Amino acid sequence: MSATLNATATATAGSAAPVDPACAEPLAVLGRDVTVPLVTGGEVTYAALDYAASAPALQRVWDDVAAYAPYYGSVHRGAGYLSQLSTDLFEQSRVTVAEFLDCRPCDQVVFTRSTTDSLNLLAAVLPAGCQVFVFETEHHASLLPWADARVTYLNAPRTPDEAVATLERALADRTASTEGGYGPALVCVTGASNVTGELWPVKELAAAAHAHGARIVLDAAQLAPHHPVSVQELDVDWVAFSGHKLYAPFGSGVLAGRADWLQEAEPYLAGGGASRTVARREDGGVDVEWHTTAARHEAGSPNVIGVYSIASACRALTEAGFKSLVAREQHLIAKVREGLAEVPAVRVLSLFGDDAPRVGVISFVVDGWNSSHFAAALSAEYGIGVRDGLFCAHPLVRTLLGSEPQAQGECGAPEAAPGERSLNAIRVSFGAGTPDEHVDRFVRAVRELVENGAQWQYRTQEGRCVPAV
């Protein structure tokens, strides 16, 4: 059992009796009754199977936001009742998120715009000379923010044990800084791949990092919506995630963890809210005293709606119980994987192999099909929304596909220039709000498209594959 699943077992131990996933109901989400037209005629209830990009809003989150909206006011800015209420709600949301992540008492919870924003914030506060270690398998949000640091990119591992061994070798061999000595180091790793859904050995990677004097940040964008995340159990220094993947699509994210690097660095953004006092100097300049709390990196008027929606989602998932949520999702994963395995033309992408524990994110390619064309047919002919392309994880997908481009079909991938052969895949993803019918329809649609072909003609328009009219 992986470290992440160990954390799950610990967090859910002692809860209710075993759940029958086939009988469990999905959580209520917005859009569950939306119908969409089919090119072949008629309408069908939309099957949203692109949770890894943005999950639909939980009905609970929407209801909580709607109930608060009339009381919306400025945060940390006003003496009026609504401002005071909004400030209390904002700060209580910080407490709720800290509890959801099982943070240490001294940790800070900083509200950002997204996982990408959170990791760029951490990159901006790295101590001088910090060396960063990141696997090439990361989402671009984790792969790209470290340009101003000394970065070591690690090759894609093929097993969890290899991931730990690769990191240990890299940390043991790291180069000394120009000032002498090794200086600070940071490891950045995902909790669950946004391409394969596979869980990474976070606890073991954290132990390896700490054994070599490094810190570690967990990209939990794809993990937090599917499994409990315990900062203390996993022993990570920071964790980052986005509201829009946690059923709270209102433009907020979280960076939670150790306070020292955050307090010692200049504010990520300079402006109101980050400053305690500002005074003119005789020479015409200004002296600024910055906050040492999380406010130091939250300049500007806070997105209280977004923050409150994250807290609402945290409460909703906790109350629903991750034990039942995980059991039901594993039931859906088994349905999809078993269905795809029955179609010989389908190849599911994986780093760690078929037996690796995973969340509801599965990517695949279909022999004889351009993935963009296949995804367009799923949408236009079956009302199923998936994602195609390289999923903002280009090095990983290229590694998994062996950098062998697919044959050019009627439509090219969004990443391919007009007329070029393309390298892309299809991703299906789901979660707490997905009904069985959606995955059943998806599996049936894949089989029918492979066996019978598309019923419609398609063309490339502005880089996207669309039905021809």
Side-chain angles (χ1 to χ4, degrees), residues 23 25 67 241 271 317 385:
C23 299
E25 291 293 323
F241 70 88
L317 293 174

Side-chain angles (χ1 to χ4, degrees), residues 44 72 86 201 251 298 397-398 436:
V44 67
Y72 173 81
S86 296
E298 294 176 342
V397 179
R398 292 181 186 280
D436 282 56

Side-chain angles (χ1 to χ4, degrees), residues 377-467:
L378 285 173
S379 175
E381 300 178 26
Y382 294 92
I384 299 170
V386 298
R387 172 112 184 254
D388 65 279
L390 299 176
F391 318 128
C392 293
H394 294 192
L396 171 56
V397 179
R398 292 181 186 280
T399 293
L400 295 173
L401 293 179
S403 295
E404 296 179 3
Q406 297 171 303
Q408 179 68 18
E410 294 179 63
C411 294
E415 288 83 4
E420 287 186 358
R421 300 176 73 194
S422 59
L423 181 71
N424 60 333
I426 306 152
R427 183 181 71 190
V428 56
S429 54
F430 40 87
T434 304
D436 282 56
E437 189 277 328
H438 288 186
V439 298
D440 291 340
R441 192 196 320 169
F442 166 77
V443 170
R444 183 177 68 254
V446 170
R447 184 181 303 111
E448 290 179 359
L449 285 171
V450 170
E451 292 177 353
N452 306 322
Q455 301 179 56
W456 207 260
Q457 295 296 312
Y458 295 83
R459 61 188 176 86
T460 301
Q461 177 179 301
E462 298 179 353
R464 294 297 314 173
C465 190
V466 299

Side-chain angles (χ1 to χ4, degrees), residues 203-381:
K203 189 169 185 176
E204 289 87 347
L205 291 168
H210 294 153
H212 290 274
R215 297 190 182 189
I216 186 168
V217 56
L218 169 63
D219 175 354
Q222 300 295 340
L223 183 63
H226 303 274
H227 282 276
V229 175
S230 169
V231 167
Q232 297 192 69
E233 173 67 22
L234 296 175
D235 197 23
V236 294
D237 298 282
W238 292 276
V239 59
F241 70 88
S242 296
H244 73 100
K245 298 186 192 299
L246 196 78
Y247 311 100
F250 293 91
S252 281
V254 168
L255 176 67
R258 300 197 180 278
D260 54 350
W261 286 6
L262 294 167
Q263 292 174 345
E264 293 162 7
E266 290 295 301
Y268 179 47
L269 298 172
S275 57
R276 293 183 63 186
T277 63
V278 180
R280 289 293 303 272
R281 297 196 304 262
E282 291 184 1
D283 63 5
V286 293
D287 287 322
V288 184
E289 180 184 358
W290 303 106
H291 279 294
T292 57
T293 63
R296 185 183 188 89
H297 299 290
E298 294 176 342
S301 295
N303 178 5
V304 61
I305 293 284
V307 165
Y308 182 48
S309 71
I310 288 180
S312 173
C314 290
R315 287 192 296 270
L317 293 174
T318 300
E319 291 167 10
F322 271 106
K323 184 172 185 176
S324 61
L325 295 176
V326 169
R328 186 169 190 285
E329 185 173 310
Q330 292 304 311
H331 161 72
L332 296 178
I333 291 171
K335 275 195 169 194
V336 173
R337 287 176 58 81
E338 289 167 7
L340 294 179
E342 294 174 355
V343 184
V346 170
R347 177 164 71 93
V348 173
L349 306 183
S350 175
L351 266 179
F352 299 155
D354 289 343
D355 295 332
R358 66 194 70 229
V359 300
V361 179
I362 298 169
S363 296
F364 63 98
V365 292
V366 183
D367 291 344
W369 283 82
N370 179 280
S371 294
S372 184
H373 185 193
F374 199 90
L378 285 173
S379 175
E381 300 178 26

